[in-house]
Amino acid sequence: DEIARYAASGDGDGKAGAYAVQGLGEQQLATRYRNWTVRQIVHHLADSTVNMYCRWKLALTEVRPTVKPYDESDWAKLPDALLGEHTYSLAMFEATIGRLTFLARTLAPADCGRVVWHPQYEKEMSVAHLAALYAWHGTHHISQIEWLRTHYRW
């Protein structure tokens, strides 16, 4: 249950991303928070959630698989992240969180200790560690959008 809470806490039921951008227009979606626009942050949330989901599945079905790192900054420069419809990524984000949360609720305690090898960090990461990392990550990016909303009074 703790892992399910972590899986869901990055965005509760998967809707916090949608709430964060609700009512925003094109100009607001093009507003930057440091290096990325709001649109790029939304697409990144979907991309990272899908990667997390795949990493969990690998950890649960293979022995110490090596996960492939990806350059999130390069992904954010691709046309779909720069110009793509953000609602597609919101739907993908919500659906993937739903799947992660469902899977997390079915895990046996031993499953939470299963690991992947992450070459970027040069260490093993357990399913439980990935869940905690993801929970922080989702909340972090949604907070960036919420900060912009407050700062610009959107």
Side-chain angles (χ1 to χ4, degrees):
D1 252 5
E2 181 178 356
I3 300 300
R5 281 195 304 277
Y6 272 137
S9 69
D11 184 24
D13 60 3
K15 296 186 186 316
Y19 296 144
V21 298
Q22 186 174 8
L24 298 185
E26 288 300 316
Q27 184 176 359
Q28 293 154 324
L29 290 168
T31 301
R32 287 197 171 276
Y33 181 93
R34 296 189 180 156
N35 297 328
W36 289 350
T37 66
V38 172
R39 180 185 309 277
Q40 287 172 299
I41 292 169
V42 170
H43 291 308
H44 169 68
L45 284 169
D47 292 342
S48 64
T49 305
V50 168
N51 271 287
M52 165 67 170
Y53 178 73
C54 291
R55 289 170 179 178
W56 264 29
K57 295 283 245 183
L58 289 168
L60 295 169
T61 60
E62 298 179 19
V63 176
R64 197 178 178 262
T66 298
V67 297
K68 179 158 183 2
Y70 66 102
D71 188 327
E72 59 190 33
S73 295
D74 283 347
W75 284 36
K77 295 173 191 168
L78 292 172
D80 66 324
L82 290 171
L83 306 168
E85 176 56 50
H86 71 289
T87 58
Y88 297 150
S89 285
L90 290 172
M92 190 166 95
F93 182 50
E94 182 178 344
T96 308
I97 286 176
R99 292 281 304 270
L100 272 167
T101 303
F102 181 88
L103 179 59
R105 288 187 178 126
T106 68
L107 296 179
D111 294 330
C112 298
R114 294 186 61 106
V115 298
V116 297
W117 173 256
H118 201 304
Q120 180 180 0
Y121 300 109
E122 297 184 349
K123 67 178 186 177
E124 288 183 344
M125 293 185 168
S126 69
V127 167
H129 178 86
L130 290 170
L133 182 63
Y134 172 75
W136 170 84
H137 181 261
T139 302
H140 168 73
H141 285 300
I142 289 168
S143 295
Q144 292 173 336
I145 298 169
E146 291 170 344
W147 183 89
L148 287 170
R149 289 191 80 113
T150 300
H151 180 75
Y152 290 111
R153 298 183 182 157
W154 295 339

